[in-house]
mmCIF file of all heavy atoms in Angstrom:
data_model
loop_
_atom_site.group_PDB
_atom_site.id
_atom_site.type_symbol
_atom_site.label_atom_id
_atom_site.label_comp_id
_atom_site.label_asym_id
_atom_site.label_seq_id
_atom_site.Cartn_x
_atom_site.Cartn_y
_atom_site.Cartn_z
ATOM 1 N N ILE B 4 47.961 70.928 -60.204
ATOM 2 C CA ILE B 4 46.924 70.015 -59.705
ATOM 3 C C ILE B 4 47.020 69.895 -58.184
ATOM 4 O O ILE B 4 46.026 69.977 -57.461
ATOM 5 C CB ILE B 4 47.070 68.620 -60.365
ATOM 6 C CG1 ILE B 4 46.745 68.734 -61.848
ATOM 7 C CG2 ILE B 4 46.151 67.602 -59.690
ATOM 8 C CD1 ILE B 4 47.119 67.508 -62.642
ATOM 9 N N VAL B 34 20.710 70.326 -21.615
ATOM 10 C CA VAL B 34 19.408 70.093 -22.229
ATOM 11 C C VAL B 34 18.988 68.662 -21.930
ATOM 12 O O VAL B 34 19.765 67.736 -22.131
ATOM 13 C CB VAL B 34 19.475 70.320 -23.748
ATOM 14 C CG1 VAL B 34 18.111 70.114 -24.364
ATOM 15 C CG2 VAL B 34 19.979 71.709 -24.025
ATOM 16 N N THR B 51 16.716 77.575 -28.802
ATOM 17 C CA THR B 51 17.977 78.069 -28.263
ATOM 18 C C THR B 51 17.834 79.550 -27.951
ATOM 19 O O THR B 51 17.171 80.293 -28.680
ATOM 20 C CB THR B 51 19.133 77.802 -29.251
ATOM 21 O OG1 THR B 51 20.306 78.370 -28.716
ATOM 22 C CG2 THR B 51 18.863 78.384 -30.612
ATOM 23 N N GLY B 78 2.628 90.485 -35.069
ATOM 24 C CA GLY B 78 3.948 90.276 -34.500
ATOM 25 C C GLY B 78 4.436 91.410 -33.629
ATOM 26 O O GLY B 78 5.593 91.415 -33.234
ATOM 27 N N ALA B 79 3.577 92.367 -33.336
ATOM 28 C CA ALA B 79 3.977 93.439 -32.411
ATOM 29 C C ALA B 79 3.956 92.885 -30.993
ATOM 30 O O ALA B 79 3.008 92.222 -30.594
ATOM 31 C CB ALA B 79 3.023 94.620 -32.533
ATOM 32 N N LYS B 119 0.526 100.267 -12.043
ATOM 33 C CA LYS B 119 0.915 98.857 -11.936
ATOM 34 C C LYS B 119 0.096 97.955 -12.864
ATOM 35 O O LYS B 119 -0.652 97.096 -12.396
ATOM 36 C CB LYS B 119 0.787 98.364 -10.489
ATOM 37 C CG LYS B 119 1.643 99.116 -9.506
ATOM 38 C CD LYS B 119 2.869 98.311 -9.124
ATOM 39 C CE LYS B 119 4.002 99.195 -8.665
ATOM 40 N NZ LYS B 119 3.767 99.919 -7.426
ATOM 41 N N VAL B 173 -5.766 89.343 -18.016
ATOM 42 C CA VAL B 173 -7.034 89.559 -18.710
ATOM 43 C C VAL B 173 -6.952 88.917 -20.083
ATOM 44 O O VAL B 173 -5.892 88.819 -20.687
ATOM 45 C CB VAL B 173 -7.344 91.076 -18.796
ATOM 46 C CG1 VAL B 173 -6.282 91.805 -19.582
ATOM 47 C CG2 VAL B 173 -8.714 91.333 -19.400
ATOM 48 N N LEU B 185 -8.136 87.257 -10.982
ATOM 49 C CA LEU B 185 -8.058 88.208 -9.887
ATOM 50 C C LEU B 185 -7.175 87.662 -8.782
ATOM 51 O O LEU B 185 -7.070 86.454 -8.605
ATOM 52 C CB LEU B 185 -9.459 88.461 -9.328
ATOM 53 C CG LEU B 185 -10.453 89.035 -10.325
ATOM 54 C CD1 LEU B 185 -11.858 88.785 -9.858
ATOM 55 C CD2 LEU B 185 -10.219 90.522 -10.508
ATOM 56 N N GLY B 186 -6.530 88.580 -8.052
ATOM 57 C CA GLY B 186 -5.762 88.155 -6.892
ATOM 58 C C GLY B 186 -6.704 87.783 -5.766
ATOM 59 O O GLY B 186 -7.787 88.346 -5.628
ATOM 60 N N ASN B 199 -19.759 94.562 -20.498
ATOM 61 C CA ASN B 199 -19.109 94.705 -19.189
ATOM 62 C C ASN B 199 -19.986 94.349 -17.998
ATOM 63 O O ASN B 199 -19.795 94.847 -16.906
ATOM 64 C CB ASN B 199 -18.547 96.123 -19.000
ATOM 65 C CG ASN B 199 -17.493 96.430 -20.026
ATOM 66 O OD1 ASN B 199 -17.048 95.538 -20.745
ATOM 67 N ND2 ASN B 199 -17.107 97.686 -20.108
ATOM 68 N N GLY B 206 -14.098 78.588 -14.691
ATOM 69 C CA GLY B 206 -12.889 77.757 -14.650
ATOM 70 C C GLY B 206 -12.220 77.660 -13.304
ATOM 71 O O GLY B 206 -11.000 77.737 -13.216
ATOM 72 N N LYS B 223 -12.070 61.845 11.144
ATOM 73 C CA LYS B 223 -13.491 61.864 10.810
ATOM 74 C C LYS B 223 -14.286 61.078 11.844
ATOM 75 O O LYS B 223 -15.384 61.463 12.221
ATOM 76 C CB LYS B 223 -13.678 61.232 9.420
ATOM 77 C CG LYS B 223 -14.065 62.228 8.351
ATOM 78 C CD LYS B 223 -14.492 61.461 7.112
ATOM 79 C CE LYS B 223 -14.071 62.211 5.872
ATOM 80 N NZ LYS B 223 -14.196 61.339 4.685
ATOM 81 N N GLY B 286 5.695 69.811 -15.655
ATOM 82 C CA GLY B 286 6.951 70.303 -15.099
ATOM 83 C C GLY B 286 7.897 69.153 -14.833
ATOM 84 O O GLY B 286 7.789 68.087 -15.435
ATOM 85 N N ASP B 306 3.167 80.856 -15.802
ATOM 86 C CA ASP B 306 2.495 81.400 -16.989
ATOM 87 C C ASP B 306 2.368 80.310 -18.029
ATOM 88 O O ASP B 306 3.166 79.366 -18.072
ATOM 89 C CB ASP B 306 3.271 82.589 -17.568
ATOM 90 C CG ASP B 306 2.425 83.352 -18.588
ATOM 91 O OD1 ASP B 306 1.212 83.077 -18.670
ATOM 92 O OD2 ASP B 306 2.967 84.215 -19.292
ATOM 93 N N ILE B 307 1.362 80.461 -18.858
ATOM 94 C CA ILE B 307 1.099 79.470 -19.886
ATOM 95 C C ILE B 307 0.853 80.205 -21.187
ATOM 96 O O ILE B 307 0.332 81.318 -21.183
ATOM 97 C CB ILE B 307 -0.108 78.595 -19.483
ATOM 98 C CG1 ILE B 307 -0.374 77.510 -20.503
ATOM 99 C CG2 ILE B 307 -1.343 79.422 -19.269
ATOM 100 C CD1 ILE B 307 -1.366 76.498 -20.012
ATOM 101 N N LEU B 320 8.360 78.826 -12.405
ATOM 102 C CA LEU B 320 8.924 79.914 -11.607
ATOM 103 C C LEU B 320 10.154 79.460 -10.825
ATOM 104 O O LEU B 320 11.152 80.176 -10.759
ATOM 105 C CB LEU B 320 7.850 80.431 -10.641
ATOM 106 C CG LEU B 320 8.240 81.588 -9.737
ATOM 107 C CD1 LEU B 320 8.292 82.863 -10.524
ATOM 108 C CD2 LEU B 320 7.251 81.727 -8.596
ATOM 109 N N MET B 361 9.461 81.905 -32.473
ATOM 110 C CA MET B 361 10.109 82.537 -31.331
ATOM 111 C C MET B 361 9.299 82.409 -30.057
ATOM 112 O O MET B 361 8.072 82.339 -30.084
ATOM 113 C CB MET B 361 10.375 84.004 -31.648
ATOM 114 C CG MET B 361 11.628 84.153 -32.489
ATOM 115 S SD MET B 361 11.927 85.805 -33.032
ATOM 116 C CE MET B 361 10.577 86.136 -34.092
ATOM 117 N N THR B 373 13.765 87.778 -22.921
ATOM 118 C CA THR B 373 14.663 86.878 -23.625
ATOM 119 C C THR B 373 13.939 86.246 -24.801
ATOM 120 O O THR B 373 12.764 85.899 -24.693
ATOM 121 C CB THR B 373 15.161 85.776 -22.676
ATOM 122 O OG1 THR B 373 15.732 86.400 -21.541
ATOM 123 C CG2 THR B 373 16.194 84.894 -23.345
ATOM 124 N N TYR B 391 1.524 63.737 -36.759
ATOM 125 C CA TYR B 391 1.128 62.616 -35.891
ATOM 126 C C TYR B 391 -0.208 62.909 -35.222
ATOM 127 O O TYR B 391 -1.115 62.078 -35.218
ATOM 128 C CB TYR B 391 2.229 62.397 -34.863
ATOM 129 C CG TYR B 391 1.959 61.341 -33.835
ATOM 130 C CD1 TYR B 391 2.145 60.001 -34.129
ATOM 131 C CD2 TYR B 391 1.527 61.684 -32.560
ATOM 132 C CE1 TYR B 391 1.906 59.027 -33.171
ATOM 133 C CE2 TYR B 391 1.284 60.718 -31.608
ATOM 134 C CZ TYR B 391 1.483 59.393 -31.921
ATOM 135 O OH TYR B 391 1.242 58.436 -30.975
ATOM 136 N N GLY B 394 -3.259 62.536 -37.201
ATOM 137 C CA GLY B 394 -3.579 61.172 -37.627
ATOM 138 C C GLY B 394 -2.871 60.757 -38.896
ATOM 139 O O GLY B 394 -3.126 59.685 -39.431
ATOM 140 N N VAL B 422 3.762 53.474 -34.389
ATOM 141 C CA VAL B 422 2.391 53.577 -34.896
ATOM 142 C C VAL B 422 2.370 53.552 -36.424
ATOM 143 O O VAL B 422 1.542 52.882 -37.048
ATOM 144 C CB VAL B 422 1.725 54.859 -34.361
ATOM 145 C CG1 VAL B 422 0.333 55.005 -34.926
ATOM 146 C CG2 VAL B 422 1.672 54.836 -32.862
ATOM 147 N N SER B 443 3.220 49.345 -23.899
ATOM 148 C CA SER B 443 2.577 48.030 -23.932
ATOM 149 C C SER B 443 1.413 48.023 -24.914
ATOM 150 O O SER B 443 1.144 47.027 -25.558
ATOM 151 C CB SER B 443 2.046 47.657 -22.547
ATOM 152 O OG SER B 443 3.060 47.129 -21.765
ATOM 153 N N GLU B 451 -0.281 41.278 -31.847
ATOM 154 C CA GLU B 451 -1.504 40.623 -32.310
ATOM 155 C C GLU B 451 -1.476 40.485 -33.832
ATOM 156 O O GLU B 451 -1.830 39.430 -34.379
ATOM 157 C CB GLU B 451 -2.717 41.439 -31.867
ATOM 158 C CG GLU B 451 -4.008 40.660 -31.963
ATOM 159 C CD GLU B 451 -5.176 41.415 -31.354
ATOM 160 O OE1 GLU B 451 -4.974 42.537 -30.849
ATOM 161 O OE2 GLU B 451 -6.284 40.871 -31.401
ATOM 162 N N LYS B 484 2.871 0.141 -22.526
ATOM 163 C CA LYS B 484 2.097 -0.657 -21.589
ATOM 164 C C LYS B 484 2.058 -2.123 -22.016
ATOM 165 O O LYS B 484 2.319 -3.031 -21.201
ATOM 166 C CB LYS B 484 0.673 -0.097 -21.508
ATOM 167 C CG LYS B 484 0.395 0.528 -20.142
ATOM 168 C CD LYS B 484 -1.034 0.990 -20.051
ATOM 169 C CE LYS B 484 -1.204 1.911 -18.855
ATOM 170 N NZ LYS B 484 -2.524 2.522 -18.832
#
Side-chain angles (χ1 to χ4, degrees):
Chain B
I4 293 168
V34 182
T51 176
K119 300 257 155 66
V173 62
L185 300 160
N199 298 350
K223 250 191 215 167
D306 193 11
I307 182 169
L320 181 75
M361 279 174 295
T373 306
Y391 176 80
V422 177
S443 278
E451 196 173 359
K484 248 184 194 172

